[in-house]
DNA sequence: TAAAAAATAGGACAAATGACCTAATATTTG
DNA sequence: CAAATATTAGGTCATTTGTCCTATTTTTTA
């Protein structure tokens, strides 16, 4: 079989296991078993655990980048793009209830491990943060764009964590509705600049 | 030395290490070294790793319970109690920036591990959730009390996660301000029931 | 088709770890 | 004080894991 095909299958399996079980809790043998290859073959493609982690992070970055840029290329307006981002929580609700957020949980683990991969995990946050900031700027929130981006990012993280802790509730759906309502209020803000002062 | 004193020191050390490094990444040897005792002595007090985890979770539950009930016993009004809860993010900002939320990060890890201790970790969430719900009920939000409790819990989680990823920002302080403003709006809601409809 | 290269399989090994045991020391008790 | 009990120290052991190596099989190349 072509090396690149096996390599790709390893990355896909490792990506899933790192998400479901965590990075440190996933062994070479675990990944090899899922792919259906020997540990020796695994080592032929990736010389260390850090190397497979890097490959997974690159894959995720590319995947998320394509998703975000895809919405823009489809010509969707900025507000709709942000709404799409919020909607990810619903699209992936099953996995989120079972394993939390792929970005947040992996970052947290690598951070506690003191692992160099913490940087790549932060890059994933950066990707979403910068993209959201640009969308808010297009919505006219030039001054607060980054603050709004961080806000929606934080709420997504919190919702994912609690949905993981309480999977049997309709909590996730309700919070998404609130976030979309919040987005409406934000997008109205530049149309109705006269806000009620505190 | 009295056994209870050594036992207590072990729990304190394990609590700290489970927070800073994670449960799975902390070994018996790590805890014993911090306490300054031998691994054999450690095993005299706790027969397994699950046992020390249980002790740590009990300790945390007791500690948080006392904190929350303490505010009530001081006679603080419901809204001030919730504000105190939000303020924890500032009180512990240094540790949160370095290690995230002790409750959320440990729950996430135990969940991915498939460890039975996931239940006790969820109990910690339950403690805050139920307490917050009661405070919101006292504030007159009888119908939405649980939803509001979950909301503030989720936002705390998200803020802690992102403050961990971006420790150098003033993001944490800004989000706390927003949460307190949100609390004001909620507490005003029953005084001014006529809200502007969308 | 024969030689060379690529890919795979499976075993070896040192380090780390949870668990367990026994001997030594400190403390309490009668 | 002496016996009994509680506490501590340190070693052993089986298992897991990341890493590495060599032999075998498959694919490509000339």
């Amino acid at each position: 079989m072509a090396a690149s095909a096996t390599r790709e299958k390893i990355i896909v399996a490792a990506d899933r296991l790192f998400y479901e079980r965590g990075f440190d809790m996933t062994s070479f043998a675990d990944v090899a078993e899922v792919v259906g290859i020997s540990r020796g073959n695994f080592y032929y493609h990736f010389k260390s655990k850090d190397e497979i982690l890097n490959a997974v992070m690159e894959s995720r970055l590319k995947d998320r980048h394509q998703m975000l840029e895809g919405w823009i290329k489809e010509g969707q307006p900025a507000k709709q793009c942000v709404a799409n981002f919020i909607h990810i929580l619903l699209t992936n609700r099953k996995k989120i209830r079972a394993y939390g957020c792929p970005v947040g949980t992996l970052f947290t683990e690598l951070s506690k491990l003191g692992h160099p991969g913490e940087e790549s995990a932060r890059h994933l946050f950066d990707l979403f943060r910068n993209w959201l900031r640009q969308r808010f700027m297009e919505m006219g929130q030039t001054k607060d764009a980054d603050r709004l981006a961080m806000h929606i990012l934080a709420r997504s993280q919190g919702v994912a964590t609690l949905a993981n802790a309480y999977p049997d509730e309709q909590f996730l759906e309700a919070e998404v509705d609130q976030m979309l309502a919040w987005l409406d209020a934000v997008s109205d803000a530049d149309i109705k600049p006269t806000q009620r002062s505190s």
Side-chain angles (χ1 to χ4, degrees), chain A:
Chain A
M1 185 194 301
S4 60
T6 305
R7 195 186 143 90
E8 193 57 33
K9 284 207 282 182
I10 291 175
I11 293 176
V12 169
D15 191 338
R16 205 191 82 203
L17 290 176
F18 289 172
Y19 178 33
E20 294 178 359
R21 306 183 191 172
F23 171 72
D24 198 57
M25 290 74 96
T26 301
S27 70
F28 274 29
D30 292 334
V31 182
E33 193 187 20
V34 167
V35 179
I37 61 172
S38 65
R39 299 184 303 278
N41 191 9
F42 190 110
Y43 194 76
Y44 173 77
H45 292 280
F46 296 97
K47 291 189 289 290
S48 74
K49 205 176 178 185
D50 291 5
E51 215 169 279
I52 173 67
L53 176 64
N54 283 337
V56 167
M57 297 311 276
E58 272 181 37
S59 165
R60 288 195 184 183
L61 268 170
K62 188 181 166 191
D63 179 75
R64 269 51 165 197
H65 179 78
Q66 283 181 348
M67 175 187 68
L68 296 177
E69 293 306 312
W71 293 337
I72 294 176
K73 280 171 188 160
E74 289 170 14
Q76 303 202 38
K79 181 181 170 184
Q80 183 59 46
C81 280
V82 178
N84 287 348
F85 171 80
I86 295 170
H87 236 84
I88 298 175
L89 287 166
L90 292 184
T91 309
N92 301 339
R93 78 187 90 185
K94 206 163 183 175
K95 288 188 175 183
I96 287 173
R97 284 197 176 107
Y99 313 109
C101 169
V103 181
T105 57
L106 188 53
F107 171 84
T108 298
E109 184 188 356
L110 295 177
S111 174
K112 282 195 194 297
L113 269 171
H115 194 284
E118 176 185 347
E119 273 309 305
S120 356
R122 203 193 320 270
H123 286 338
L124 260 171
F125 273 133
D126 289 338
L127 176 71
F128 288 112
R129 179 182 182 173
N130 295 333
W131 183 86
L132 284 167
R133 188 181 61 221
Q134 288 200 287
R135 301 291 82 71
F136 281 116
M137 285 181 71
E138 291 172 8
M139 287 165 63
Q141 297 284 353
T142 49
K143 195 183 171 189
D144 292 331
D146 189 60
R147 185 181 63 77
L148 296 171
M150 286 289 282
H151 179 78
I152 211 69
L153 217 48
R155 280 178 75 166
S156 303
Q157 281 300 308
V159 168
T161 302
L162 277 204
N164 186 210
Y166 298 108
D168 47 332
E169 311 282 331
Q170 81 308 4
F171 157 76
L172 205 155
E173 285 82 352
E175 283 289 322
V176 166
D177 285 345
Q178 280 184 259
M179 287 169 74
L180 291 173
W182 172 89
L183 179 62
D184 278 335
V186 168
S187 64
D188 288 348
D190 61 333
I191 299 171
K192 311 174 187 172
T194 353
Q195 282 179 306
R196 180 188 59 192
S197 66
S198 65

